[in-house]
Amino acid sequence: MKRTCLIAQAGACSAALRALLPLRLEGRVSGLSGLVVEVDGLSSHLSVGDRLTLEARDRRSVPAEVVAFRQGRAQAMPFASLDGLGPGSRALACGERLAIGGGGSLAVSDAWLGRVLDPLGRSLDGQGPLPPGPRTRKLRASPPHATDRARLGPPLDLGVRALNCFATCRDGQRLGLFAGSGVGKSTLLAMLARYTACDVAVLALVGERGREVREFMEDDLGPDGLARSVVVVATSDSPPLLRREAAYAAMTVAEHFRDQGKSVLLLMDSVTRFCLALREIGLSAGEPPATRGYPPSVFAELPRLLERAGPGVPPSVSRGRLTGTAVRTEPAHAEAGAGRITALFTVLVEGDDHNEPVADAVRGILDGHVILDRRIAEGGRYPAVDVLRSLSRTVPGCLEPEQAAVAARARAILALHADMADLVRLGAYRAGTDPAVDEAVALAPRIEQALRQTRTQRSSLAESFALLRAAVTPG
């Protein structure tokens, strides 16, 4: 009886505590300049990254985030339009939380599969609110510790011949897709989203055209592809803070499924527009422009995002950290139960300059790069992958000796043909002069034909190498 009374009293106390109003801190908007709102009266209670709710004159709530401090005032940037805000508008902290939870977090749930959402966790597909998961995850989390991460998994079938053969990807690898505008990047992404062998696909459309969203979901993904996917969208007309947050939100969703031991495919289109959003935020907050107008914070933020993708931490390591016992309890090659995020980040190179700052920085961070070439696309071969300039740094550890030999032979033939193409075209080379050149002239078109693939064709890893083997075999 006494125990029952204590339980009842504890329940009543808990209900009373939940009914208490949270602490509410209120400041005022003291100025607006460009994309930045200056807030007075809250600086001693806030830090960079904290969330605010700004109240417009028409009583509309505008979510915002603190990005800097200057002269004793907090500088915030909105996740929505600044219309209706002015000096004297209220700024609320801690009392009114956003739908995703305070401090920038997402309560990811398995029920989000098949759904389309914005970076703040709000539904965009007209199917009602997204059900929250049992726990929230920070949007800007740290990557797993380098010595605790699992190793890369076996070769991953991407379904695209050019990538399977010449930029073979392992489960948990991070690849960059570098392309100018109009070279077939969206077509290649659609093929990867539909054909890659994975448990879950997470797609981040960062700063993309609004009309492409439905086309991508309905025509490229289709019902079956969407059923295993989560799509995070922030179109080009979104505020820079929302475009930046789309990359963090997609990475957070991918980490949720990775931590369940699943193989996750993360497609982010594009890292360049993520960096453009960071540039707008940094310049608005008063950072000095550096390389091509990008402030230093852009190149500090890139590895913090990209390093989060990849293999997760095996369960044995997690248990060791929790109990304070030995960290690793199984050999590195076993690591059962460790999920992995295989990430493909597109980089929209400006003016087809593959050495521009963002492309150069991303290429140095990732585990390989795939180059889409405009001349190949203009020649009618899709996907327009330049196999001679594309590279996967993990190929030595994932190909069978026979497969590696076939790929090396094909590269050598294509390289020799590229060197001699002008001479052959001008008639300056006479057949029979060099047997190796004669072979390259005969076999290079066959290799090019083997690499042709329509968006509705899927080519498995084994089939891709079989076709390449046949193409490089004389006769």
Side-chain angles (χ1 to χ4, degrees):
M1 186 68 177
K2 184 177 180 181
R3 183 181 177 185
T4 304
C5 293
L6 290 174
I7 293 174
Q9 290 175 357
C13 291
S14 177
L17 289 173
R18 285 195 299 269
L20 289 175
L21 290 175
L23 177 64
R24 176 174 172 139
L25 302 175
E26 182 175 319
R28 295 285 173 177
V29 173
S30 59
L32 293 91
S33 176
L35 302 174
V36 173
V37 179
E38 288 194 348
V39 177
D40 199 6
L42 293 175
S43 297
S44 58
H45 304 283
L46 298 176
S47 58
V48 171
D50 284 348
R51 299 294 177 83
L52 301 172
T53 300
L54 308 177
E55 190 175 279
R57 302 196 190 283
D58 58 0
R59 300 296 181 184
R60 181 173 56 94
S61 294
V62 180
E65 180 179 304
V66 178
V67 296
F69 293 89
R70 182 181 295 171
Q71 297 178 350
R73 295 186 178 91
Q75 293 189 307
M77 293 190 70
F79 287 97
S81 171
L82 286 173
D83 294 345
L85 289 173
S89 296
R90 292 200 303 169
L92 305 175
C94 301
E96 297 182 11
R97 294 296 194 184
L98 301 178
I100 61 169
S105 58
L106 277 175
V108 187
S109 166
D110 292 353
W112 289 17
L113 287 173
R115 301 297 301 273
V116 184
L117 57 142
D118 75 355
L120 299 182
R122 300 175 298 201
S123 169
L124 295 177
D125 53 15
Q127 299 183 29
L130 291 159
R135 59 181 284 252
T136 59
R137 308 180 69 97
K138 292 179 61 177
L139 285 178
R140 274 173 280 180
S142 300
H145 195 277
T147 58
D148 291 346
R149 302 187 83 147
R151 300 188 59 166
L152 294 176
L156 184 67
D157 186 358
L158 299 177
V160 179
R161 292 175 201 144
L163 302 187
N164 279 344
C165 294
F166 293 98
T168 313
C169 181
R170 295 175 66 179
D171 193 12
Q173 187 173 343
R174 303 163 303 162
L175 279 174
L177 305 179
F178 296 77
S181 57
V183 185
K185 171 172 56 67
S186 298
T187 301
L188 179 58
L189 277 181
M191 296 172 68
L192 292 169
R194 190 189 300 120
Y195 298 140
T196 301
C198 63
D199 299 321
V200 175
V202 179
L203 291 86
L205 303 181
V206 183
E208 293 301 307
R209 304 174 187 90
R211 68 161 182 84
E212 292 183 341
V213 176
R214 282 193 61 188
E215 293 176 5
F216 190 85
M217 292 189 304
E218 296 173 5
D219 301 339
D220 298 329
L221 271 182
D224 294 337
L226 185 59
R228 66 166 188 169
S229 304
V230 180
V231 184
V232 182
V233 177
T235 52
S236 59
D237 60 318
S238 303
L241 211 60
L242 207 58
R243 280 179 270 135
R244 181 206 68 181
E245 213 75 348
Y248 295 135
M251 188 67 73
T252 302
V253 173
E255 288 170 336
H256 166 81
F257 291 103
R258 179 191 64 189
D259 291 349
Q260 297 179 5
K262 295 181 178 179
S263 175
V264 183
L265 174 69
L266 173 64
L267 297 176
M268 187 173 296
D269 187 18
S270 68
V271 171
T272 303
R273 293 193 173 104
F274 168 74
C275 291
L276 291 174
L278 289 176
R279 181 169 69 178
E280 292 178 48
I281 295 168
L283 294 178
S284 298
E287 274 194 83
T291 310
R292 289 205 188 176
Y294 288 99
S297 62
V298 173
F299 301 102
E301 198 64 37
L302 261 178
R304 294 188 191 123
L305 173 72
L306 303 182
E307 283 290 344
R308 290 169 63 181
V313 178
S316 58
V317 177
S318 300
R319 286 194 297 270
R321 283 202 173 277
L322 288 174
T323 59
T325 58
V327 172
R328 193 175 295 278
T329 60
E330 56 186 334
H333 64 271
E335 297 177 323
R340 295 175 175 88
I341 298 174
T342 304
L344 290 99
F345 302 96
T346 68
V347 180
L348 186 62
V349 293
E350 298 180 1
D352 289 343
D353 178 11
H354 288 268
N355 293 318
E356 57 94 15
V358 172
D360 201 42
V362 172
R363 190 166 49 243
I365 297 170
L366 299 183
D367 305 318
H369 51 270
V370 175
I371 306 297
L372 302 185
D373 190 87
R374 191 175 302 278
R375 289 175 298 177
I376 296 175
E378 291 170 348
R381 196 253 281 171
Y382 287 96
V385 177
D386 187 338
V387 297
L388 295 179
R389 297 166 63 197
S390 300
L391 170 71
S392 170
R393 294 188 174 96
T394 65
V395 162
C398 69
L399 288 184
E400 299 292 335
E402 190 267 343
Q403 292 175 331
V406 168
R409 174 168 163 74
R411 276 186 184 273
I413 290 171
L414 291 175
L416 181 57
H417 183 264
D419 288 340
M420 300 298 295
D422 289 340
L423 293 177
V424 172
R425 191 177 298 112
L426 294 172
Y429 173 79
R430 187 169 55 188
T433 304
D434 187 336
V437 175
D438 293 341
E439 183 184 54
V441 170
L443 297 183
R446 293 171 54 177
I447 298 174
E448 288 289 331
Q449 184 60 37
L451 296 179
R452 290 178 185 270
Q453 191 174 347
T454 66
R455 64 192 302 172
T456 57
Q457 289 180 311
R458 185 187 187 280
S459 186
S460 68
L461 202 63
E463 181 185 352
S464 300
F465 276 102
L467 288 170
L468 186 63
R469 188 182 306 109
V472 301
T473 302

